[in-house]
């Protein structure tokens, strides 16, 4: 099995057609078709089936896709690791971060990283853990930084960076702005940020802990822009990490100072087990750890 065959297979799977894959790779469509046929012959199974829009993965193809992507990503990382150890500073680093590390850790880490690795291309995704688990497992993402997952898939390791708390937030002039307890907010409607696989697990236990009925969750947001816009133009409320109160973006909304302490999941770094980071990835992770230590020192 040739490495180029895996590359060709991934291109066809991602593009959904031989023509699109050939255009992406700058290769002849006939050569690409031959490469896929040879791969299928080698494996003894059909990886694709034709449909009206191009090709689609067979069940065997879906299984092979996960393994092929992992192999290709590992080879890419190995090449970049060797090049970076030889003093070359180019490469690629893919990271997912939630809002907290974006606000509290990323600015300082980015400055240091760009000085050390100015030619490494950064691919930063604004996301929480459930959305990126599969990419962590197949190696197409170096690591995730954000709220600790309720549970992680086998093959991932979790490193805690710091503990955190949250506050209740709504638009300026919200009719419940004078509320001082969660009990005053039982009739409110809420947005969740989909930190967990099930939205009701995000703030439901908080209300239950204080003997209150479950909150009315009417929206789940995967985007900072979405939940800010939704709060500004409605009476929806949200529970956000306390770091938001120091952000310039917080000027669009206001805190509703309830008396209850609202804990937040600790902020963690999640990566694939048994896969050494490239020097660039290791350095970026170290800069995030440095910023975390400084944050903890400021609190004390």
């Amino acid at each position: 099995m040739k490495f180029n065959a895996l590359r060709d297979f991934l291109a066809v799977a991602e593009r959904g057609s031989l023509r699109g894959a050939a255009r992406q790779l700058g290769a002849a469509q006939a050569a690409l078709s031959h490469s896929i046929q040879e791969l299928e012959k080698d494996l003894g199974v059909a990886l694709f089936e034709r449909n009206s829009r191009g090709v689609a993965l067979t069940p065997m193809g879906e299984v092979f896709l996960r393994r092929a992507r992992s192999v290709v990503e590992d080879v890419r990382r190995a090449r970049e690791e060797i090049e970076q150890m030889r003093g070359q500073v180019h490469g690629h680093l893919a990271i997912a971060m939630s809002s907290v590390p974006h606000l509290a850790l990323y600015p300082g880490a980015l400055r240091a990283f760009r000085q050390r690795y100015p030619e490494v291309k950064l691919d930063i995704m604004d996301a929480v853990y459930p959305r990126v688990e599969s990419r962590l497992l197949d190696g197409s993402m170096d690591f995730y930084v954000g709220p600790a997952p309720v549970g992680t898939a086998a093959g991932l390791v979790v490193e805690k960076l710091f503990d955190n708390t949250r506050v209740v937030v709504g638009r300026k002039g919200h009719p419940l702005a004078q509320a001082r307890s969660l009990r005053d907010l039982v009739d409110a409607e809420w947005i969740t940020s989909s930190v967990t696989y099930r939205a009701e697990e995000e703030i439901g236990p908080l209300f239950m802990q204080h003997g209150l009925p479950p909150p009315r969750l009417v929206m789940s947001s995967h985007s900072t822009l979405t939940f800010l816009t939704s709060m500004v133009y409605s009476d929806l409320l949200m529970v956000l990490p306390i770091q938001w109160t120091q952000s310039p973006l917080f000027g669009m909304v206001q805190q509703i100072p309830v008396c209850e302490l609202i804990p937040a999941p600790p902020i963690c770094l999640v990566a694939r087990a048994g896969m050494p980071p490239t020097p660039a990835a290791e350095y970026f992770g170290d800069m995030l750890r440095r910023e975390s230590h400084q944050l903890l020192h400021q609190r004390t």
Side-chain angles (χ1 to χ4, degrees):
M1 185 181 301
K2 298 179 180 179
F3 180 77
N4 283 351
L6 296 181
R7 179 206 62 187
D8 296 344
F9 166 76
L10 288 178
V12 175
E14 291 167 359
R15 292 294 179 177
S17 72
L18 287 167
R19 179 180 299 176
R23 188 163 49 245
Q24 173 184 322
L25 297 173
Q29 186 172 333
L32 200 60
S33 178
H34 178 73
S35 175
I36 297 299
Q37 290 173 4
E38 289 297 309
L39 182 59
E40 290 178 324
K41 181 179 179 182
D42 189 17
L43 293 171
V45 296
L47 299 173
F48 295 100
E49 56 187 7
R50 292 188 177 277
N51 58 35
S52 58
R53 292 177 294 179
V55 295
L57 289 165
T58 64
M60 291 294 185
E62 293 281 0
V63 172
F64 188 68
L65 175 63
R66 295 193 295 270
R67 299 295 185 181
R69 184 175 286 145
S70 180
V71 170
V72 170
E73 288 296 332
D74 284 349
V75 170
R76 176 187 64 79
R77 288 171 187 270
R79 182 182 292 116
E80 289 184 1
E81 183 172 5
I82 291 172
E83 291 172 347
Q84 290 168 12
M85 291 178 67
R86 290 173 57 195
Q88 301 180 34
V89 293
H90 60 266
H92 178 268
L93 182 59
I95 304 167
M97 294 188 294
S98 71
S99 63
V100 172
H102 266 104
L103 295 171
L105 309 180
Y106 180 57
L110 177 63
R111 285 192 293 268
F113 182 82
R114 293 293 298 154
Q115 291 176 359
R116 179 74 173 269
Y117 290 99
E119 300 301 320
V120 172
K121 180 182 178 182
L122 285 170
D123 180 5
I124 308 293
M125 182 178 182
D126 181 3
V128 288
Y129 175 79
R131 295 184 61 201
V132 299
E133 182 181 76
S134 62
R135 291 193 59 186
L136 291 168
L137 289 169
D138 67 28
S140 60
M141 180 161 285
D142 290 273
F143 54 83
Y144 157 80
V145 186
V150 175
T152 54
L156 297 176
V157 291
V158 180
E159 172 191 352
K160 187 170 85 168
L161 298 179
F162 60 90
D163 291 311
N164 211 18
T165 57
R166 295 178 289 179
V167 295
V168 177
V169 176
R171 66 173 174 84
K172 287 190 172 182
H174 195 286
L176 295 172
Q178 303 305 312
R180 294 297 179 264
S181 170
L182 289 175
R183 188 171 298 278
D184 299 328
L185 304 176
V186 293
D187 294 325
E189 295 182 326
W190 298 79
I191 307 173
T192 66
S193 59
S194 302
V195 171
T196 63
Y197 284 105
R198 299 177 60 194
E200 60 269 22
E201 293 177 352
E202 187 174 340
I203 59 174
L206 172 66
F207 278 67
M208 184 181 300
Q209 174 187 342
H210 294 283
L212 301 174
R216 297 168 60 194
L217 308 179
V218 300
M219 179 183 296
S220 181
S221 170
H222 303 276
S223 160
T224 299
L225 181 59
T226 299
F227 71 64
L228 279 176
T229 304
S230 300
M231 280 193 289
V232 169
Y233 291 99
S234 75
D235 287 337
L236 296 174
L237 297 179
M238 194 168 186
V239 171
L240 289 176
I242 196 170
Q243 286 77 15
W244 273 95
T245 61
Q246 289 92 46
S247 167
L249 294 174
F250 197 73
M252 302 173 63
V253 291
Q254 70 177 74
Q255 179 180 349
I256 298 178
V258 298
C259 62
E260 293 88 353
L261 176 67
I262 306 178
I267 299 301
C268 295
L269 187 152
V270 183
R272 201 172 92 184
M275 184 175 67
T278 64
E282 184 172 21
Y283 185 77
F284 198 97
D286 285 343
M287 292 303 98
L288 293 172
R289 295 181 185 96
R290 183 194 68 178
E291 295 298 311
S292 297
H293 292 156
Q294 292 180 357
L295 184 65
L296 292 172
H297 180 71
Q298 292 169 3
R299 291 179 178 178
T300 58

